[in-house]
Amino acid sequence: MVIVMQAGAADSEIETVIAAVEKAGFRPWVNPGVERKVIALLGAVDAEKAELVDHFSALPGVERVTLISEPYKLASRRTHPDSSQIQVGPASIGGKELAIIAGPCSVESKDQIFKAARAVKDAGANLLRGGAFKPRTSPYSFQGLGVSGLELLAEAGRMTGLPTVTEVLHPADLEAIAEHVDIIQIGARNMQNFRLLQEVGRVGKPVILKRNPGCRVQELLMASEYIMLEGNADVVLCERGITSFENATRYTLDLNAIPVIKRLSHLPVIADPSHAAGDWRYVAAIALGAVAAGADGVMVEVHPDPALALSDGPQSLRPDKFRRLMDSMTQVAIAVGRQVATPHEQL
Ligand code: PEP
Ligand code: MN
């Protein structure tokens, strides 16, 4: 159940409603939306009764009370009818302008991350990615530079003015990640690592939550609920390909998921064509498809010299190819009523 307050409801009216919700035995969750406050009743799933609707509807400042039948509440568009927009420094995810997150799979050296950062910034990317703690299938593969990788990523972010994104694998690393990086990524493998989701939800930094290739859209939305329940509404969902019978590509980008999630949830949705394809030759086409389907942004792996990459080289774009993709994305964005930032000169 959600209680939608009238636009401009007084603080005292909101407080009265919160007190009434608590008195009725539910945990209130107040949406941080500015224009119209929404108060969600958590724990109300089995107890949504008509008399409660009447009771809350009659309180001053209440516009309407809506029952939410879906198991996800805070992520539901019913709780927050307007699409959420998440501000990260100069970048924004979920607005008219697409969020372009680019950079190498892993931070490998100062030279590599600086070259990558400069290249993606020059091409017009809004955010810089780079893994420092890598989830590798083999324990013998490069595992990331750890904290020194975070430091290099932060330095490259400062140099270019781009906010940074990195993945967390374990709660023990969260403090260092939060100290150096602007957005915390939960990788596909950890989408249902619920304790990790809760820990990340308490950090107070925006989160990119990647869909596990074996999980349904509803499971992705439920996972986002774990983060939001801890008080962090700044969650971005990422479609990065699901498992299918097809093995011509690494995974199959579920293009359908983009409009489906946009309908069900107010959270921004981005797509990661690099991990979906596993092959740089398909990355641009898949990225353009995702933009056309309504994605709020894309995450693309870009490496100054993919042949030398310590992880995911075969799917990484060279800077010149990324620049060409940016040009194409600009065209497709215009066709669907969106825009891509124009590249800025280096300061
Ligand atoms: C990554 O972003 O480098 C990554 C490991 O992605 P995923 O979790 O989607 O496999
Ligand atoms: Mn990768």
Side-chain angles (χ1 to χ4, degrees), residues 237-262:
L237 304 173
C238 180
E239 163 57 38
R240 46 77 76 211
I242 56 174
T243 308
S244 76
F245 60 82
E246 183 54 72
N247 64 1
T249 50
R250 195 172 173 189
Y251 295 94
T252 298
L253 190 95
D254 182 9
L255 203 60
N256 305 7
I258 296 168
V260 168
I261 297 171
K262 294 297 293 180

Short mmCIF file of all heavy atoms in Angstrom, two decimals, residues 237-262:
data_model
loop_
_atom_site.label_atom_id
_atom_site.label_comp_id
_atom_site.label_asym_id
_atom_site.label_seq_id
_atom_site.Cartn_x
_atom_site.Cartn_y
_atom_site.Cartn_z
N LEU A 237 19.29 0.01 -12.72
CA LEU A 237 19.24 -1.40 -13.11
C LEU A 237 19.98 -1.56 -14.44
O LEU A 237 19.90 -0.68 -15.30
CB LEU A 237 17.79 -1.85 -13.24
CG LEU A 237 16.94 -1.64 -11.98
CD1 LEU A 237 15.47 -1.97 -12.26
CD2 LEU A 237 17.47 -2.48 -10.83
N CYS A 238 20.68 -2.67 -14.58
CA CYS A 238 21.47 -2.88 -15.80
C CYS A 238 21.17 -4.23 -16.42
O CYS A 238 21.41 -5.27 -15.80
CB CYS A 238 22.96 -2.75 -15.47
SG CYS A 238 24.02 -3.00 -16.91
N GLU A 239 20.68 -4.20 -17.65
CA GLU A 239 20.47 -5.44 -18.43
C GLU A 239 21.79 -5.73 -19.14
O GLU A 239 22.30 -4.90 -19.88
CB GLU A 239 19.34 -5.21 -19.44
CG GLU A 239 19.26 -6.21 -20.58
CD GLU A 239 19.13 -7.66 -20.12
OE1 GLU A 239 18.42 -7.91 -19.14
OE2 GLU A 239 19.76 -8.53 -20.75
N ARG A 240 22.35 -6.94 -18.89
CA ARG A 240 23.68 -7.26 -19.46
C ARG A 240 23.70 -8.62 -20.14
O ARG A 240 24.74 -9.21 -20.33
CB ARG A 240 24.77 -7.15 -18.40
CG ARG A 240 24.47 -7.78 -17.09
CD ARG A 240 24.61 -9.27 -17.08
NE ARG A 240 25.99 -9.69 -17.04
CZ ARG A 240 26.45 -10.80 -17.58
NH1 ARG A 240 25.61 -11.64 -18.20
NH2 ARG A 240 27.71 -11.14 -17.50
N GLY A 241 22.50 -9.09 -20.53
CA GLY A 241 22.44 -10.35 -21.26
C GLY A 241 22.05 -11.50 -20.36
O GLY A 241 22.47 -11.58 -19.21
N ILE A 242 21.20 -12.36 -20.91
CA ILE A 242 20.74 -13.53 -20.15
C ILE A 242 21.21 -14.81 -20.84
O ILE A 242 21.61 -14.78 -22.00
CB ILE A 242 19.19 -13.53 -20.00
CG1 ILE A 242 18.49 -13.46 -21.35
CG2 ILE A 242 18.75 -12.37 -19.10
CD1 ILE A 242 16.98 -13.60 -21.27
N THR A 243 21.15 -15.88 -20.11
CA THR A 243 21.54 -17.18 -20.66
C THR A 243 20.44 -17.67 -21.62
O THR A 243 19.25 -17.55 -21.32
CB THR A 243 21.67 -18.20 -19.50
OG1 THR A 243 22.52 -17.62 -18.52
CG2 THR A 243 22.24 -19.50 -19.97
N SER A 244 20.84 -18.16 -22.76
CA SER A 244 19.86 -18.76 -23.68
C SER A 244 20.54 -19.95 -24.35
O SER A 244 21.70 -20.23 -24.07
CB SER A 244 19.39 -17.73 -24.72
OG SER A 244 20.39 -17.56 -25.71
N PHE A 245 19.84 -20.61 -25.23
CA PHE A 245 20.47 -21.74 -25.93
C PHE A 245 21.52 -21.26 -26.93
O PHE A 245 22.35 -22.02 -27.38
CB PHE A 245 19.40 -22.59 -26.64
CG PHE A 245 18.61 -21.82 -27.65
CD1 PHE A 245 19.10 -21.62 -28.93
CD2 PHE A 245 17.38 -21.28 -27.31
CE1 PHE A 245 18.38 -20.90 -29.86
CE2 PHE A 245 16.65 -20.56 -28.23
CZ PHE A 245 17.15 -20.36 -29.51
N GLU A 246 21.46 -19.99 -27.29
CA GLU A 246 22.33 -19.46 -28.33
C GLU A 246 23.76 -19.31 -27.84
O GLU A 246 23.97 -18.72 -26.78
CB GLU A 246 21.78 -18.08 -28.78
CG GLU A 246 22.56 -17.46 -29.90
CD GLU A 246 22.66 -18.39 -31.10
OE1 GLU A 246 21.65 -18.58 -31.78
OE2 GLU A 246 23.76 -18.93 -31.35
N ASN A 247 24.71 -19.83 -28.60
CA ASN A 247 26.10 -19.66 -28.17
C ASN A 247 26.97 -18.90 -29.17
O ASN A 247 28.18 -18.91 -29.10
CB ASN A 247 26.73 -21.01 -27.79
CG ASN A 247 26.83 -21.93 -29.00
OD1 ASN A 247 26.45 -21.55 -30.11
ND2 ASN A 247 27.32 -23.14 -28.78
N ALA A 248 26.29 -18.23 -30.12
CA ALA A 248 27.05 -17.40 -31.07
C ALA A 248 27.59 -16.15 -30.38
O ALA A 248 28.55 -15.55 -30.84
CB ALA A 248 26.16 -17.01 -32.25
N THR A 249 26.93 -15.79 -29.30
CA THR A 249 27.41 -14.67 -28.47
C THR A 249 27.51 -15.17 -27.04
O THR A 249 26.99 -16.24 -26.70
CB THR A 249 26.43 -13.48 -28.54
OG1 THR A 249 25.11 -13.95 -28.27
CG2 THR A 249 26.48 -12.78 -29.88
N ARG A 250 28.17 -14.35 -26.18
CA ARG A 250 28.42 -14.81 -24.80
C ARG A 250 27.10 -14.98 -24.03
O ARG A 250 26.89 -15.96 -23.35
CB ARG A 250 29.33 -13.78 -24.14
CG ARG A 250 29.98 -14.21 -22.87
CD ARG A 250 31.00 -13.15 -22.42
NE ARG A 250 31.55 -13.44 -21.11
CZ ARG A 250 32.31 -12.60 -20.42
NH1 ARG A 250 32.63 -11.41 -20.94
NH2 ARG A 250 32.78 -12.92 -19.25
N TYR A 251 26.26 -13.97 -24.13
CA TYR A 251 24.91 -14.01 -23.55
C TYR A 251 23.97 -13.42 -24.60
O TYR A 251 24.40 -13.02 -25.67
CB TYR A 251 24.83 -13.18 -22.26
CG TYR A 251 25.68 -13.73 -21.15
CD1 TYR A 251 26.98 -13.25 -20.95
CD2 TYR A 251 25.21 -14.73 -20.29
CE1 TYR A 251 27.78 -13.77 -19.93
CE2 TYR A 251 25.99 -15.24 -19.28
CZ TYR A 251 27.28 -14.76 -19.10
OH TYR A 251 28.06 -15.26 -18.10
N THR A 252 22.68 -13.32 -24.28
CA THR A 252 21.72 -12.73 -25.19
C THR A 252 21.13 -11.50 -24.51
O THR A 252 20.47 -11.64 -23.47
CB THR A 252 20.60 -13.75 -25.51
OG1 THR A 252 21.21 -14.88 -26.17
CG2 THR A 252 19.53 -13.15 -26.40
N LEU A 253 21.39 -10.31 -25.06
CA LEU A 253 20.82 -9.12 -24.42
C LEU A 253 19.30 -9.21 -24.50
O LEU A 253 18.75 -9.40 -25.57
CB LEU A 253 21.30 -7.83 -25.08
CG LEU A 253 20.90 -6.61 -24.23
CD1 LEU A 253 22.03 -6.18 -23.31
CD2 LEU A 253 20.44 -5.45 -25.07
N ASP A 254 18.66 -9.11 -23.36
CA ASP A 254 17.20 -9.17 -23.32
C ASP A 254 16.66 -7.76 -23.56
O ASP A 254 16.41 -7.01 -22.64
CB ASP A 254 16.75 -9.72 -21.96
CG ASP A 254 15.23 -9.86 -21.87
OD1 ASP A 254 14.55 -9.69 -22.91
OD2 ASP A 254 14.73 -10.14 -20.76
N LEU A 255 16.52 -7.47 -24.86
CA LEU A 255 16.05 -6.12 -25.24
C LEU A 255 14.65 -5.86 -24.67
O LEU A 255 14.32 -4.75 -24.27
CB LEU A 255 16.02 -6.04 -26.77
CG LEU A 255 16.09 -4.67 -27.41
CD1 LEU A 255 17.37 -3.95 -27.01
CD2 LEU A 255 16.03 -4.79 -28.92
N ASN A 256 13.85 -6.93 -24.63
CA ASN A 256 12.48 -6.80 -24.10
C ASN A 256 12.48 -6.24 -22.68
O ASN A 256 11.55 -5.54 -22.29
CB ASN A 256 11.79 -8.17 -24.01
CG ASN A 256 11.78 -8.92 -25.32
OD1 ASN A 256 12.40 -8.50 -26.29
ND2 ASN A 256 11.09 -10.04 -25.36
N ALA A 257 13.52 -6.61 -21.92
CA ALA A 257 13.53 -6.22 -20.50
C ALA A 257 13.53 -4.70 -20.35
O ALA A 257 13.04 -4.19 -19.34
CB ALA A 257 14.75 -6.81 -19.81
N ILE A 258 14.06 -4.00 -21.33
CA ILE A 258 14.18 -2.54 -21.16
C ILE A 258 12.79 -1.88 -21.08
O ILE A 258 12.48 -1.25 -20.08
CB ILE A 258 15.10 -1.93 -22.24
CG1 ILE A 258 16.51 -2.50 -22.06
CG2 ILE A 258 15.10 -0.40 -22.17
CD1 ILE A 258 17.46 -2.23 -23.22
N PRO A 259 11.93 -2.04 -22.11
CA PRO A 259 10.58 -1.45 -21.96
C PRO A 259 9.78 -2.08 -20.84
O PRO A 259 8.94 -1.40 -20.22
CB PRO A 259 9.93 -1.66 -23.33
CG PRO A 259 10.70 -2.75 -23.98
CD PRO A 259 12.11 -2.63 -23.46
N VAL A 260 10.01 -3.36 -20.56
CA VAL A 260 9.25 -4.01 -19.47
C VAL A 260 9.60 -3.34 -18.13
O VAL A 260 8.72 -2.94 -17.36
CB VAL A 260 9.56 -5.53 -19.42
CG1 VAL A 260 9.02 -6.15 -18.14
CG2 VAL A 260 8.97 -6.23 -20.63
N ILE A 261 10.90 -3.19 -17.88
CA ILE A 261 11.31 -2.58 -16.59
C ILE A 261 10.86 -1.12 -16.54
O ILE A 261 10.43 -0.64 -15.49
CB ILE A 261 12.83 -2.70 -16.38
CG1 ILE A 261 13.24 -4.18 -16.29
CG2 ILE A 261 13.25 -1.97 -15.10
CD1 ILE A 261 14.75 -4.41 -16.30
N LYS A 262 10.96 -0.43 -17.67
CA LYS A 262 10.53 0.99 -17.67
C LYS A 262 9.04 1.10 -17.29
O LYS A 262 8.62 2.06 -16.68
CB LYS A 262 10.77 1.66 -19.03
CG LYS A 262 12.21 1.82 -19.44
CD LYS A 262 13.03 2.71 -18.55
CE LYS A 262 12.65 4.17 -18.53
NZ LYS A 262 13.54 4.92 -17.60
#
